[in-house]
């Protein structure tokens, strides 16, 4: 059983229940394993992820392509059924609006369908492929309201218009009848947010929601998400590759590399005092401005080597082939998440000795 | 290959490598099959610029600002509706097709998507040998050797020659695309969002590679990106486009330290992690349709500082300090 002092540290996979989810926690993921069976072998896309999301707070999951960040979100939503993906272990405990704790992995598909949209909602990177092109957006916002809240067609339409107004769409009385192709990318993402928020979920999973948008529109969407989150006291998992966005939106951050969390803590701790060489390296290769400061031009740092194959990750620490601090011990055995402070963990056995 | 930060700066000379004057491109003036009333879309509207030999000009702006169209115009991949284009003093806009075909070896392009820009049925060797044969007349072993040398220059090895694109990651493919662009020994390369599809750790590698090659060959580069922080790293000067028009143009250090146009300021502050403390100048709404641009200053409909006069006449691109141009009538603003 995890002790209160180390909320994120690796814990034995014993059966867990309501008592393991402290008050104020919406989502508690422990030792989650999501595998994909492919012709080439088993891809362990999520391999032992432990996470907690607090009420009304934002947890960012940051990582590069193939790190497992999106699959983690999809697993929570139980959206892997039509893929070769399967949950090979772990638990996902969710505290619903009624205060009861549910194991999402133990729910039947029908039970999960009732929860999806009502208690947990998700938005994706590409709103065009999430929206149905042949229905007006208003109907797509009204649908969950009718299904989950039993509202009449008329009431649902009125609520859809109100939601469009809340997500900052001008002239919502007209736009409610627009088809997705008649809207810009930014407006479609606003519509997706309206659909996700239609039933006032406790948890929103946002998977790269602004990656396809211009920076100016991204800034608008981030402002909007933060405002709606505050107004509704909604928790959020924000999946992104962009550390600079993490800084703007997240209270907590989990850094993923090769299917595992390598560092987790408060955003300020992790970004300002990283304790894992990968986090440090990611920060260093992100252009931060001031490249011309002082008259000479600074080069970007890069991380040597490439992302490891998901079929055969390196033995020992998965980051060791690209890490400037790796020793023989790092190649020999897989590191565990070690507590740096009560709020900060790192999967680096050398964190005490190295200066990042 | 070592490239020092401040070595090999652009060579200012009497004749710039690329010179565009009043370049404009309107699409669809004839109206499409389903068009009700043909209304031309002014993708690029009266752009004048010089790119010196060895200079990197960054182009930033939102989608729909005309960045890519400008890049294609400068290579004459599309024909301008107005304006002139010179390359090393030669009138490129009037060059006949036959001469242009030979001339193309001087100008190359690198695209955003390295998965779409390489033929999946051609080995990397064949993809590199083709331009070597066409532009440099190399055949057989000589072509193979040159292809291997190109791969080495971009950080790959000769053994990669026999592989197909599918064997490579996005970052490696972008290196191959760069090698292919270098095959004809061009003087000018348009790189259109060359790192936007890449992961951050890979992005840094490709930017550093481009910078090294640009400096060691004295290449001129038009670097198009929506990401201001990437442009800041690589560009000597930056041009800010909005609805096909130049809003501001300045040396990189000047532009980032002292942006003068409200649109530039808004773009910079919109980028995450750039506005520590203070209030952000957040733009309302979206870029208007280029088929129906606002009168006067095209940015005025989103500009928090717009006044009545902004709607009346199109603001001229004025030089407010040496090399620093802006198209904004409000000189009373301080950012």
């Amino acid at each position: 059983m995890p002790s209160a002092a180390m909320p994120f540290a690796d814990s034995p996979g014993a059966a867990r229940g309501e008592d393991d989810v402290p008050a104020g926690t919406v989502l508690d993921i422990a030792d989650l394993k999501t595998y994909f069976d492919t012709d080439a072998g088993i891809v362990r896309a999520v391999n032992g992820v432990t996470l907690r999301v607090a009420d009304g707070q934002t947890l960012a999951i940051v990582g590069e392509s193939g790190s497992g960040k999106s699959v983690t979100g999809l697993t929570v939503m139980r959206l892997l059924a039509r893929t070769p993906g399967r949950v090979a272990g772990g638990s996902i405990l969710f505290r619903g609006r009624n205060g009861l704790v549910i194991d999402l992995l133990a729910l039947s598909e029908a039970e999960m369908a009732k929860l999806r949209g009502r208690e947990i909602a998700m938005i994706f990177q590409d709103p065009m492929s999430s929206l149905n092109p042949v229905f007006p957006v208003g109907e797509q916002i009204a649908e969950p309201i009718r299904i989950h809240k039993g509202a009449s067609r008329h009431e649902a339409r009125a609520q859809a218009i109100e939601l469009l107004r809340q997500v900052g769409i001008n002239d919502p009385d007209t736009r409610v009848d627009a088809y997705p192709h008649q809207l810009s990318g930014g407006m479609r993402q606003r519509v997706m947010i309206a659909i996700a928020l239609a039933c006032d979920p406790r948890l929103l999973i946002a998977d790269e929601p602004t990656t396809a948008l211009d920076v100016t529109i991204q800034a608008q969407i981030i402002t909007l998400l933060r405002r709606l989150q505050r107004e509704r006291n909604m928790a959020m998992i924000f999946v992104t590759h962009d550390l600079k966005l993490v800084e703007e939106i997240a209270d907590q951050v989990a850094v993923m590399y090769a299917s595992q969390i390598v560092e987790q803590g408060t955003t300020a701790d992790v970004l300002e005092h990283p304790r894992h060489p990968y986090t440090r390296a990611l920060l260093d290769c992100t252009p931060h401005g001031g490249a011309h400061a002082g008259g000479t031009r600074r080069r970007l740092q890069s991380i040597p080597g490439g992302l490891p194959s998901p079929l055969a990750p390196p033995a020992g620490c998965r980051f060791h082939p690209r890490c400037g601090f790796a020793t023989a011990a790092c190649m020999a055995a897989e590191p565990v998440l070690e507590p740096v402070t009560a709020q900060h963990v790192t999967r680096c056995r050398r964190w005490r000795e190295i200066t990042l | 290959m070592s490239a020092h930060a401040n070595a090999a700066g652009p060579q200012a000379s009497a004749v710039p490598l690329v010179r565009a004057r009043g370049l404009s491109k309107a699409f669809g003036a004839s109206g499409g099959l389903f068009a009700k009333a043909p209304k031309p879309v002014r993708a690029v509207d009266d752009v004048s610029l010089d790119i010196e030999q060895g200079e990197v000009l960054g182009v930033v702006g939102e989608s729909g600002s005309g960045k890519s169209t400008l890049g294609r115009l400068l290579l004459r991949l599309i024909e301008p509706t107005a304006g002139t284009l010179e390359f090393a003093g030669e009138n490129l806009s009037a060059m006949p097709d036959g001469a242009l075909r030979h001339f193309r070896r001087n100008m190359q392009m690198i695209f955003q998507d390295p998965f779409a820009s390489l033929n999946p049925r051609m080995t990397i060797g064949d993809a590199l040998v083709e331009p070597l044969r066409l532009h440099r007349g190399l055949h057989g072993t000589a072509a193979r050797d040159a292809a291997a040398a190109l791969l080495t220059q971009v950080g790959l090895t000769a053994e990669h020659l026999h592989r197909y694109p599918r064997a490579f990651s996005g970052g490696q493919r972008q290196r191959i695309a760069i090698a292919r662009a270098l095959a004809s020994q061009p003087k000018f390369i348009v790189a259109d969002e060359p790192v936007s599809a890449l992961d951050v750790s890979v992005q840094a590698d490709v930017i550093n590679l481009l910078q090294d090659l640009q400096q060691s060959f004295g290449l001129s580069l038009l670097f198009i990106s929506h990401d201001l922080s990437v442009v800041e790293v690589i560009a000597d000067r930056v041009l800010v486009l909005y609805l096909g028009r130049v809003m501001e143009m300045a040396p990189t250090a000047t532009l980032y330290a002292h942006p003068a146009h409200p649109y530039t300021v808004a773009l910079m502050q919109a980028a995450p992690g750039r506005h520590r403390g203070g209030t952000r100048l957040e733009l309302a709404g979206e870029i208007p349709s280029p088929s129906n641009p606002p009168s006067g200053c095209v940015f005025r409909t989103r500009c928090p500082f717009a006044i009545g006069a902004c709607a009346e006449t199109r603001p001229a691109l004025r030089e407010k300090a040496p090399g620093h141009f802006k198209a904004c009538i409000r000189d009373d603003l301080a950012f």
Side-chain angles (χ1 to χ4, degrees), chain A residues 1 25 36 45 58-59 64 69 74 96 101 150 162 175 184 201 203 234 239 245 250 272 279 338 345:
Chain A
M1 182 161 306
T25 298
F36 287 77
T58 298
L59 167 80
E64 296 180 86
K69 57 189 192 302
L74 292 171
V101 172
E162 175 51 29
R175 289 274 163 68
S184 68
L203 174 66
M234 175 179 74
V239 176
L245 264 187
E272 283 162 34
T279 313
E338 296 182 20
V345 291

Side-chain angles (χ1 to χ4, degrees), chain B residues 13-297:
Chain B
S13 57
V15 182
L17 188 70
V18 179
R19 162 166 282 183
R21 288 294 174 267
L23 215 51
S24 297
K25 178 69 187 178
F27 286 109
S30 59
L33 183 57
F34 300 105
K36 286 172 195 154
K39 183 134 201 188
V41 171
R42 293 173 178 279
V44 168
D45 192 358
D46 194 13
V47 170
S48 297
L49 57 85
D50 289 343
I51 305 174
E52 305 294 338
Q53 191 196 322
E55 185 183 36
V56 183
L57 180 65
V59 180
V60 299
E62 294 167 274
S63 347
S65 62
K67 308 187 290 295
S68 295
T69 305
L70 177 62
R72 284 164 172 77
L73 280 173
L74 294 181
L75 297 176
R76 225 189 118 187
L77 291 174
I78 50 176
E79 297 295 329
T81 26
T84 57
L85 182 61
E86 285 176 21
F87 191 95
E90 290 209 51
N91 186 345
L92 196 61
S93 32
M95 194 176 281
D97 284 353
L100 183 65
R101 245 194 318 278
H102 289 291
F103 203 76
R104 286 215 179 279
R105 62 174 293 181
N106 293 313
M107 314 177 292
Q108 291 293 330
M109 186 149 184
I110 300 165
F111 298 92
Q112 173 173 353
D113 186 357
F115 291 86
S117 56
L118 293 169
N119 185 339
R121 291 171 186 276
M122 264 172 126
T123 64
I124 301 313
D126 291 339
L128 290 173
V129 163
E130 190 178 55
L132 288 170
R133 182 167 48 79
L134 281 173
H135 292 300
R136 285 164 64 187
L138 298 177
H139 295 274
T141 327
R144 285 273 146 185
D145 288 349
L150 283 168
L151 276 188
T152 316
Q153 275 174 346
V154 298
L156 297 168
T157 61
E159 68 186 53
H160 290 124
L161 283 174
H162 305 287
R163 302 213 193 136
Y164 288 88
R166 64 170 177 271
F168 296 93
S169 67
Q172 287 173 321
R173 287 185 203 206
Q174 207 55 309
R175 287 170 184 271
I176 294 163
I178 293 170
R180 194 163 198 264
L182 292 175
S184 68
Q185 297 176 320
K187 298 189 176 82
F188 176 49
I189 293 181
V190 171
D192 190 355
E193 302 270 9
V195 297
S196 305
L198 306 177
D199 274 308
V200 265
S201 69
V202 183
Q203 170 179 298
D205 267 336
V206 173
I207 293 172
N208 288 339
L209 172 70
L210 261 178
Q211 205 166 24
D212 288 344
L213 294 170
Q214 181 266 326
Q215 288 174 350
S216 55
F217 296 126
L219 286 170
S220 301
L221 194 61
L222 186 83
F223 189 94
I224 299 170
S225 178
H226 69 283
D227 188 335
L228 275 85
S229 54
V230 166
V231 169
E232 184 180 9
V233 170
I234 197 165
D236 298 304
R237 274 192 308 143
V238 180
L239 183 157
V240 183
L241 266 189
Y242 186 80
L243 272 188
R245 299 190 194 173
V246 179
M247 297 288 113
E248 187 166 5
M249 182 156 55
T252 308
T254 310
L255 188 88
Y256 284 76
H258 309 289
H261 195 287
Y263 181 58
T264 312
V265 175
L267 266 187
M268 286 183 178
Q269 295 190 354
R274 274 203 179 259
H275 75 303
R276 293 171 193 274
T279 45
R280 167 187 267 177
L281 178 64
E282 192 169 291
L283 289 187
E286 302 178 4
I287 194 165
S289 162
S291 64
N292 191 18
S295 66
C297 171

Side-chain angles (χ1 to χ4, degrees), chain A residues 78-130:
Chain A
R78 293 260 312 263
L79 288 175
L80 294 171
R82 287 182 194 164
T83 70
R86 61 185 163 91
V87 176
S91 65
I92 305 174
L93 302 180
F94 175 76
R95 189 187 298 276
R97 205 177 279 113
N98 57 12
L100 296 180
V101 172
I102 319 156
D103 184 351
L104 297 184
L105 296 177
L107 295 182
S108 69
E109 184 44 43
E111 289 167 327
M112 189 65 207
K114 279 188 196 158
L115 218 74
R116 220 182 269 132
R118 200 177 60 182
E119 298 259 11
I120 311 176
M122 187 158 185
I123 54 176
F124 298 90
Q125 175 174 339
D126 178 11
M128 200 53 194
S129 56
S130 311

